[in-house]
Amino acid sequence: MKHLKYRIISAVSGSVCFFLAALSGSFLASADTQTDNPLSPGVPTMEPSSENDIASTAPTTLPDDTSSKYTLAEAILNATQPSPELTKAPDIWSPTPGLTVTPDPSLTLVLGLTPTPEPTPGLTPTAAPTLTPTPTLAPSPTPSPTPEPFVFTKAIANVTDYVNIREGASTNTPVLGRLFKDGIVEVLGIEGEWAYISSGNVTGYIFTEYLHLGEQALAYADQITAYNVKVTANSLNIRSGPGTDYEKLGSTTYGATFPALLSLSNKEWIAIQYTADTVAYVYADYVALVCNQRVAMTLAEIATAERTAKIEKTHVKSIPVTYRDPISITDDDLRVFALVVAAEAYWEPYEGKLAVANVILNRLIGGKYGDTVYDVVTAPGQFSGYNHIDKFTSYDLSDCYAACREALSGKNNIGDFVFFHADYYVNSHDEWLLFSSWHQIEGHIFFKRTW
């Protein structure tokens, strides 16, 4: 091992010497085949040992004086360089059992090992920058989504009576119908000063000046309670605010209704007037909005409505029972009286029979139709039932006699009415507008004429 080391070092030393001689113009011979260290006389030459020998044989003890034990290459380098790069190599190397062997730096040039690059003299190595870790920010709380506003596409009539709905956006176009005070319309579009609307069976144009629109319409709808909220679920919670995280104030059941407060509502939660001084909220999916206001009407619908209103206006819904002085008649008149009541009202209730009997007596008292019951019931074109009295001679007339006697005693349940028709006759002849007042008992309409 030692001889091999010295041979390698000698070869390198020879090359270095040749290089130096060329530079100085002189030649220095070198002993490249020297096996012993010429600079260290007296040191015995170590023969190569086997790996087994190194492991089992104690290392050779070196002389105490080891200060001169340098290789020829080291001597040459020391002579040419002020600060030697190489370090002294020990003559004998033996691994210590159990330790990790570090390669001898002196063998770097000999064995062709690539040294670890060293810093360039005079330059201060730049330390690797210390990376400051980016702090992990706590996640910001996700803001609650803003509720979608309640969408209200309706408008409300801003008139004292009514406004015309026209075919086009001009007063020169035909009138299709009318929208009355506080009536509700669906706004389909705005064209300048005109709103294109749909309401009821009418679609046309209204001057926007006569409509509450947008936020104004919402506020006005609440003011007039234009809508009610009707519960469509079997059971529904009522909360203090628009969300399930608000306090539960109570619950309600299917069909319950509350005034709607649309200006306080959003798309998911409808505000209601829960009590006189409490506003609450219900989930929109489980309620229906019910409009309390009128819609627009066509001209034909208006005519029908006016007629109906007039008929209803003349309707006397109830007549109190009154009493007058008794009236005496002959037995023959009483028999005819009972037969005519049977012919006119045999299938009517007792109240109807009594009313027919009093109409006959009202005519008798008035004197226009005769001075006796017989004269009244046989007057031309008046009581058609008289022509059929023979049919009822075999019928049970007990109720008819009782009604006639009670009317003669003074009990009156029809007031001063002197006319009556079967209701089917009135409807088929459309006589309603001919009545100044009317009252219905079962199948008979009792009335006064307009002339």
Side-chain angles (χ1 to χ4, degrees):
M1 177 72 72
K2 182 175 180 181
H3 285 79
L4 177 60
K5 177 178 180 180
Y6 283 164
R7 289 178 181 274
I8 296 173
I9 293 174
S10 297
V12 173
S13 300
S15 300
V16 172
C17 290
F18 180 82
F19 175 75
L20 293 176
L23 292 176
S24 61
S26 62
F27 180 79
L28 177 63
S30 63
D32 56 357
T33 59
Q34 185 174 347
T35 59
D36 295 327
N37 187 347
L39 300 181
S40 304
V43 179
T45 301
M46 294 295 294
E47 293 295 329
S49 301
S50 68
E51 184 179 355
N52 186 58
D53 292 337
I54 294 174
S56 60
T57 305
T60 303
T61 302
L62 296 177
D64 294 335
D65 184 13
T66 59
S67 59
S68 62
K69 301 299 189 289
Y70 292 91
T71 64
L72 178 60
E74 289 171 334
I76 296 171
L77 292 174
N78 287 337
T80 58
Q81 297 183 15
S83 299
E85 293 284 344
L86 300 176
T87 59
K88 177 183 175 181
D91 293 324
I92 300 174
W93 174 81
S94 176
T96 303
L99 297 179
T100 301
V101 178
T102 304
D104 190 339
S106 63
L107 300 180
T108 300
L109 295 176
V110 177
L111 300 178
L113 301 177
T114 302
T116 301
E118 295 183 8
T120 303
L123 297 178
T124 303
T126 303
T130 302
L131 298 179
T132 303
T134 302
T136 302
L137 300 178
S140 301
T142 302
S144 299
T146 302
E148 293 187 46
F150 180 81
V151 178
F152 192 63
T153 59
K154 310 291 185 180
I156 305 175
N158 182 20
V159 293
T160 56
D161 191 3
Y162 68 85
V163 58
N164 288 328
I165 302 173
R166 295 187 176 272
E167 188 177 281
S170 169
T171 55
N172 295 325
T173 59
V175 174
L176 301 178
R178 293 175 182 173
L179 180 67
F180 296 88
K181 177 178 172 58
D182 296 341
I184 298 285
V185 299
E186 179 81 21
V187 178
L188 305 177
I190 301 293
E191 298 181 16
E193 296 180 332
W194 293 83
Y196 184 51
I197 62 90
S198 178
S199 180
N201 295 316
V202 188
T203 299
Y205 291 84
I206 295 179
F207 202 52
T208 55
E209 180 181 345
Y210 301 118
L211 293 173
H212 294 289
L213 295 166
E215 294 297 326
Q216 183 185 31
L218 268 178
Y220 190 68
D222 291 350
Q223 179 183 331
I224 63 174
T225 314
Y227 288 87
N228 279 342
V229 169
K230 182 177 180 180
V231 177
T232 58
N234 291 333
S235 178
L236 182 62
N237 290 330
I238 298 174
R239 297 194 176 271
S240 62
T244 55
D245 52 342
Y246 285 89
E247 177 187 3
K248 177 182 172 183
L249 300 180
S251 62
T252 187
T253 56
Y254 178 83
T257 59
F258 303 91
L261 300 175
L262 301 183
S263 62
L264 303 178
S265 303
N266 60 49
K267 188 175 181 181
E268 292 186 352
W269 293 88
I270 304 298
I272 62 171
Q273 193 70 51
Y274 185 40
T275 65
D277 56 356
T278 304
V279 174
Y281 290 80
V282 291
Y283 197 58
D285 285 354
Y286 303 123
V287 297
L289 289 177
V290 180
C291 183
N292 298 323
Q293 304 306 120
R294 296 173 65 180
V295 295
M297 301 174 67
T298 65
L299 294 180
E301 289 172 335
I302 291 171
T304 300
E306 288 177 345
R307 179 176 182 275
T308 301
K310 184 177 181 181
I311 293 172
E312 185 61 26
K313 184 178 180 180
T314 58
H315 183 198
V316 179
K317 294 180 174 59
S318 64
I319 298 177
V321 174
T322 59
Y323 293 87
R324 57 188 169 200
D325 293 338
I327 298 174
S328 297
I329 61 173
T330 65
D331 290 342
D332 289 339
D333 276 358
L334 179 59
R335 178 178 177 273
V336 172
F337 194 9
L339 285 171
V340 171
V341 169
E344 297 287 352
Y346 188 84
W347 288 277
E348 294 294 311
Y350 180 80
E351 181 186 9
K353 293 180 176 69
L354 180 62
V356 170
N358 275 290
V359 166
I360 294 172
L361 293 182
N362 286 342
R363 288 191 175 201
L364 176 65
I365 295 170
K368 181 179 179 179
Y369 295 95
D371 297 330
T372 65
V373 170
Y374 180 82
D375 293 339
V376 170
V377 298
T378 59
Q382 298 305 308
F383 292 92
S384 60
Y386 176 79
N387 299 323
H388 307 287
I389 60 175
D390 292 342
K391 175 182 177 181
F392 293 92
T393 55
S394 61
Y395 281 40
D396 179 6
L397 301 179
S398 56
D399 279 353
C400 295
Y401 272 103
C404 290
R405 290 189 177 100
E406 194 165 27
L408 290 168
S409 70
K411 185 177 180 179
N412 181 11
N413 67 336
I414 202 59
D416 60 352
F417 283 79
V418 292
F419 300 101
F420 69 90
H421 282 318
D423 55 359
Y424 67 83
Y425 180 88
V426 171
N427 288 324
S428 62
H429 289 74
D430 195 18
E431 291 187 335
W432 294 104
L433 297 181
L434 301 177
F435 305 154
S436 60
S437 62
W438 59 278
H439 177 72
Q440 184 167 3
I441 300 177
E442 288 294 328
H444 278 158
I445 303 295
F446 300 85
F447 61 91
K448 296 177 183 178
R449 295 185 184 275
T450 55
W451 66 87

